[in-house]
């Protein structure tokens, strides 16, 4: 199911995009509005979509992605610290632990 944002994004076929390429790229840059290009994929399944976004949106995406990954690292660290564990270099203890499952 398509989200409201996806429905509002203008969609172009590759040939239609080529015809209007200069105008569309200027539109993306000037108005910060993305465009969607649908590539037919008859042999391998459903069509593939490409989105052309402005540098501003891309920078925001990169920041959000970085923030999200840092949050995940933090949460994994917190969970790991909450689990009691011991360090050992005794191979017999390690082998026993691996066999427990």
């Amino acid at each position: 199911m398509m989200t409201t944002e996806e429905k509002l994004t203008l969609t172009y076929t590759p040939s239609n995009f080529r015809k209007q390429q200069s105008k569309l790229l200027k539109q993306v840059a000037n108005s910060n509005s993305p465009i969607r290009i649908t590539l037919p994929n008859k042999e391998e399944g459903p069509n593939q979509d490409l989105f052309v976004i402005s540098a501003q949106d891309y920078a925001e995406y990169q920041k959000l992605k970085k923030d999200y990954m840092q949050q995940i690292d933090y949460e994994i660290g917190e969970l790991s610290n909450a689990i009691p564990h011991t360090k050992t270099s005794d191979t017999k203890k390690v082998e026993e632990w691996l066999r427990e499952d």
Side-chain angles (χ1 to χ4, degrees):
M1 187 169 152
M2 297 177 83
T3 65
T4 304
E5 188 170 308
E6 288 174 328
K7 289 178 185 175
L8 297 177
T9 304
L10 297 175
T11 304
Y12 298 88
T13 62
S15 59
N16 197 15
F17 173 75
R18 273 191 300 276
K19 291 176 188 175
Q20 301 180 49
Q21 183 174 350
S22 179
K23 176 186 131 197
L24 293 172
L25 293 177
K26 285 178 186 176
Q27 173 188 324
V28 170
N30 294 334
S31 66
N32 199 33
S33 58
I35 59 172
R36 178 180 179 179
I37 303 165
T38 300
L39 302 176
N41 194 9
K42 296 175 186 174
E43 296 160 5
E44 298 177 17
N47 292 345
Q48 295 177 325
D49 290 329
L50 301 172
F51 285 86
V52 179
I53 61 173
S54 68
Q56 177 183 348
D57 278 353
Y58 182 73
E60 184 178 338
Y61 161 76
Q62 290 291 73
K63 182 185 179 324
L64 289 171
K65 182 178 170 184
K66 180 182 174 189
D67 292 347
Y68 180 72
M69 295 306 291
Q70 287 175 340
Q71 182 65 30
I72 288 173
D73 286 344
Y74 172 78
E75 289 177 13
I76 289 172
E78 289 294 308
L79 288 171
S80 176
N81 290 337
I83 298 170
H85 57 278
T86 58
K87 294 181 182 180
T88 184
S89 57
D90 182 351
T91 56
K92 288 182 183 181
K93 286 184 179 181
V94 172
E95 287 174 4
E96 288 173 12
W97 178 79
L98 289 172
R99 287 191 195 117
E100 285 180 8
D101 291 341

